[in-house]
Every structure is written in structure tokens, then in C-alpha cells.
Amino acid sequence: MAAPAPALPGPSAPTGPPRPAHRDGNVLRWLLAYTASLVGDGVYFVALGWAAQKVADPAGVGFVMATGAVPRALLMLGGGVLADRFDPRRIVLGSDAVRCVLVLGVAGAVALTSPALWLLVCVALVFGTVDALFVPAVGALPPRLTRPEQFARVIGMRSLAMRLSQVAAPPLAGLALGLGGVPVAFAAAGVLFAGSLPLLFSLRIRPPAAPTGARAEPGSLRAELLDGLRYIRRHPLVRPLVLALALCELGLSSTLNVGLLLLNAERGWGPSGYGWIVGAFGAGAAAGAALLTVVGWVPRAGLVLSGALGIACASAAVLGSVPVLGVAAGCAALTGLAAGTAGSLDNSLLQNAADPAYLGRVTSVVMLTMVGLAPLSYPVVGAAIGAWGAGPVFVGTAAFSACGTAYLLLSPAARRARLPRPAPRTPPAPPGRASAG
């Protein structure tokens, strides 16, 4: 394994009194850069789909949009190894630089001629490959930005940025398409990626922490990947956190992405009804992320996590059976609130529990479940709802997700899991008076 890369030039990380993450300029610069990248992602996907439907039939559009998921799923674990091997900021910075050049190049190409299907497929493949490097590196950054007692706030801020970007990207892409078509939309995505670069370069990065346990000797990419998987399997807290999140994602993701659409059609609520349900879930999830951002610490985090996952599963099960739109929207909001809180807590506990030397690989396994495995359940859930209706399928997927909650409750390490409590800030001494001691 290569030696860890030195930090990029720039000011060193602060060593003074602890500062809350939401008031830390270093964290806020990272958050702005991350948000710009997320919005750029969203604008890029809209532009890609719009360009594809101009040159392909519906099946071709689906093929183009799904192409990027292939390298993302195949290479995500390798991206986690690289995030642990090298400076994660360099990987994030390089990823956004490549995406910036890529989409600006595509903007120029489609401005000069009509987009070709082969070009869009190639762009999607490159973009998905870069994503496989970007996502684990982002997950490995919080320990290099701030102190462990601030991880919960950082994860909450990151989750909130994800939710807000999902709201902001589609109308921004629509505005760009209305102003100048596909070339302007791709150019807008490139500008957003470019905007993240100076912010990322200005980050103050802490030196990597020393490993907390024995590690395998440096070796090949495959050896380090297997070492990371063994680490997850053997760790008393990381294992249940990763497995519980995977089970809940596999169960609830299909319900929320495919099931809500089919439930809405089954009830006959129409487009506005679907908008209310999806909007309620998104608002609840954003509120859960914002809550952890504001609070910054919760007592007995492991038990709170289990309770939040249980509430998310129960409300999702009820959602499939309610006949009234308002009640369904309320259940969706509660599901989003509980799921958003649980996701932020799970990731915060992972950030604190995992050895920093393995954090990239831990993140890659978690994200592989979300972007690689969970979508495989979508056609299964769709077929099941077509055969049996939404109610029984919602109950079944919620019960499957509840296995993650049960596993957490059966794990002594998960039940006892705590977040570091932020240390109280010492007020500065009055001017002209020396502090005692």
C-alpha cells in the first residue's frame, strides 16, 4: 500500500477551543462545496435525460440513465480502498475537477451538433466511475475536518444538504433548459462543479489519525478490500450499524421509490396527491437531518437509533393501508422524519466507531447497498404490488426492514453506543485581565 498522501497546501487545521460545526468556517466551506456538487449532480442527470430523449426511444433513455449505475456499483468498494489509501480531499477535489471538465466538454459538443447516443453513454460511464471514487472519499472526510464530538452535526448538515439539493436541482435544470436547452443545462452543472473547487482547496485538513487496532500489512487493492470487509465483520459496533442500515435500505428504499408511485395510482389520488406524499416524506427527512444539526448530540444514541428505525418501519407499514390522502401524507412525513433521524445517527455513530484508516471502505460498503443493491429490489416490489396490492407489500417490506432494528437491539455494543458529548466552550477572559490558573 502506498504511503498516505500529504495534505494539499493550505492552512493547517485549527488547534484552539472547540467550535460548533455550524459555526466553523472550515466545515461550512466543505458543506458549500458538497452542496454545489450535489446540485451539479442533479442538474447533470436532468440534462442527460433531456438530451437522451431527443435521440433515443424510451428504452434507450432508460439505458442511458442506467449506464452510470454500472461502474458506480462495480467500483464503489475499490473507491473505498483508495479513499483510505490516499488523502480523501484530493480524491474529492479531483472528482469534481473531472466532472467539471467532462460536462463542460459535453455542453460544447452538443452546442455544436446534436447529441449522439454513443456520446451520452460514454459520458454516463465516466460520470459513474468518478462517482465511485467521490462518494467514499466524502464519507472519509469528517474526521479530517472537525472533532469527534461534532460528527453528529456534520452528518446532519450533510443530510440536510442532500435533501435541499434534491429540491433545488430540478427547477434549476428546468430554468437552464428553458433559457438555452441542453447545452446551457450541462454548462450550469459544470459551473456548479467548478464552484466547489476553490472551496475544497481552501479546506484545512487534520493529519490522519493513528490506527486504533492491528491492520493487515499493506498489499494490493484486493488485499486491502478484503481487509476492510474483515474489519467490518469483526468490529462489534460497525458490523451491526452497517448491517442494520443495509436491511432498512433494502426494505424501505423500494417502498418509497416504487411503492409510493403505485400506491398513489391504486388510490387514484392523481399527480397532486403523489406530489403531496413525496413532498411530505422529503420535508420529514429534511427535518430529521436539521434536528440533529441543531441539537448536535443525543443521549443513548444507539437506543434512539433503534427507536427511530422502528418508527420508520411502523409508519411505512401503515402508509400502505390508509385510504385518505391527508393521513397518507402524515404517515409519509413521519416515515421521513424517523428515517432521516436514523440515517444521520447511524452515520454519526459509524464516523465515531470506525478506525479512520478504514472509514473509506466502511462508507463504500454502506453506499454500495444504497446505489447498487437496493435498486435491484424495485422490479420485485413493483411486481408484488401488481399481484397483491400495496397494503400487504408495504407491510412485508417494513417487516424486512424491521429485522435491522431487531439486530441492533440484540447487539450489546449497539445498545450501549454513545456519541461523544461536546465539551462546553470556555468563555474568553475579559480584556486586560489574566485568567486564573
Side-chain angles (χ1 to χ4, degrees):
M1 182 179 73
L8 290 173
S12 58
T15 58
R19 179 181 297 179
H22 62 286
R23 297 179 182 174
D24 188 335
N26 195 47
V27 173
L28 293 178
R29 286 193 297 275
W30 165 79
L31 185 67
L32 286 174
Y34 182 57
T35 303
S37 293
L38 290 176
V39 178
D41 272 346
V43 173
Y44 154 79
F45 280 114
V46 173
L48 183 69
W50 198 266
Q53 60 90 27
K54 290 180 174 295
V55 297
D57 58 15
V61 174
F63 176 74
V64 171
M65 300 302 288
T67 298
V70 176
R72 195 181 300 121
L74 294 177
L75 302 177
M76 185 72 71
L77 296 180
V81 174
L82 295 179
D84 290 334
R85 180 183 288 192
F86 301 109
D87 180 359
R89 181 179 58 157
R90 287 193 171 191
I91 297 176
V92 173
L93 188 58
S95 299
D96 272 357
V98 171
R99 292 193 286 186
C100 174
V101 172
L102 177 68
V103 295
L104 288 178
V106 176
V110 298
L112 296 175
T113 181
S114 60
L117 185 61
W118 68 265
L119 174 64
L120 300 179
V121 170
C122 291
V123 169
L125 285 172
V126 175
F127 205 94
T129 301
V130 175
D131 265 357
L133 303 177
F134 175 85
V135 172
V138 166
L141 265 179
R144 309 288 294 275
L145 294 172
T146 188
R147 295 171 171 84
E149 63 269 17
Q150 294 299 323
F151 288 171
R153 274 202 172 100
V154 170
I155 298 302
M157 293 162 71
R158 187 177 74 180
S159 300
L160 185 58
M162 292 173 61
R163 299 297 176 183
L164 295 179
S165 68
Q166 292 169 352
V167 174
L172 180 58
L175 177 62
L177 287 168
L179 290 175
V182 172
V184 174
F186 275 123
V191 169
L192 286 163
F193 291 129
S196 73
L197 299 180
L199 293 168
L200 290 169
F201 194 82
S202 68
L203 293 182
R204 295 168 294 177
I205 299 296
R206 298 176 180 277
T212 57
R215 288 197 295 163
E217 287 298 317
S220 65
L221 191 73
R222 178 177 179 274
E224 291 180 62
L225 174 58
L226 293 176
D227 182 37
L229 295 177
R230 284 192 294 268
Y231 172 80
I232 294 173
R233 179 171 58 85
R234 294 171 180 171
H235 197 288
L237 180 54
V238 171
R239 182 185 66 250
L241 290 175
V242 169
L243 184 58
L245 195 61
L247 290 172
C248 289
E249 186 68 27
L250 289 171
L252 293 181
S253 177
S254 56
T255 301
L256 299 172
N257 286 283
V258 177
L260 286 182
L261 184 63
L262 298 177
L263 171 68
N264 184 76
E266 187 178 284
R267 297 288 189 271
W269 289 326
S272 62
Y274 181 66
W276 275 106
I277 296 174
V278 174
F281 174 83
L291 180 64
L292 195 59
T293 300
V294 173
V295 173
W297 177 83
V298 294
R300 303 180 70 83
L303 289 178
V304 174
L305 167 61
S306 301
L309 286 177
I311 292 173
C313 295
S315 56
V318 173
L319 176 59
S321 301
V322 295
V324 180
L325 176 59
V327 179
C331 288
L334 180 59
T335 304
L337 177 64
T341 302
S344 296
L345 275 176
D346 193 290
N347 280 287
S348 300
L349 289 169
L350 278 175
Q351 291 281 344
N352 280 282
D355 185 329
Y358 289 96
L359 195 50
R361 280 165 282 184
V362 171
T363 302
S364 70
V365 171
V366 172
M367 295 308 299
L368 176 64
T369 303
M370 295 183 179
V371 303
L373 300 181
L376 299 178
S377 64
Y378 293 177
V380 176
V381 168
I385 291 178
W388 300 307
V393 176
F394 271 61
V395 171
T397 55
F400 180 84
S401 296
C403 295
T405 304
Y407 187 63
L408 282 177
L409 292 173
L410 291 174
S411 166
R415 291 198 306 271
R416 296 193 301 264
R418 303 284 195 276
L419 290 172
R421 189 161 194 161
R425 298 190 68 190
T426 304
R433 181 183 300 175
S435 59

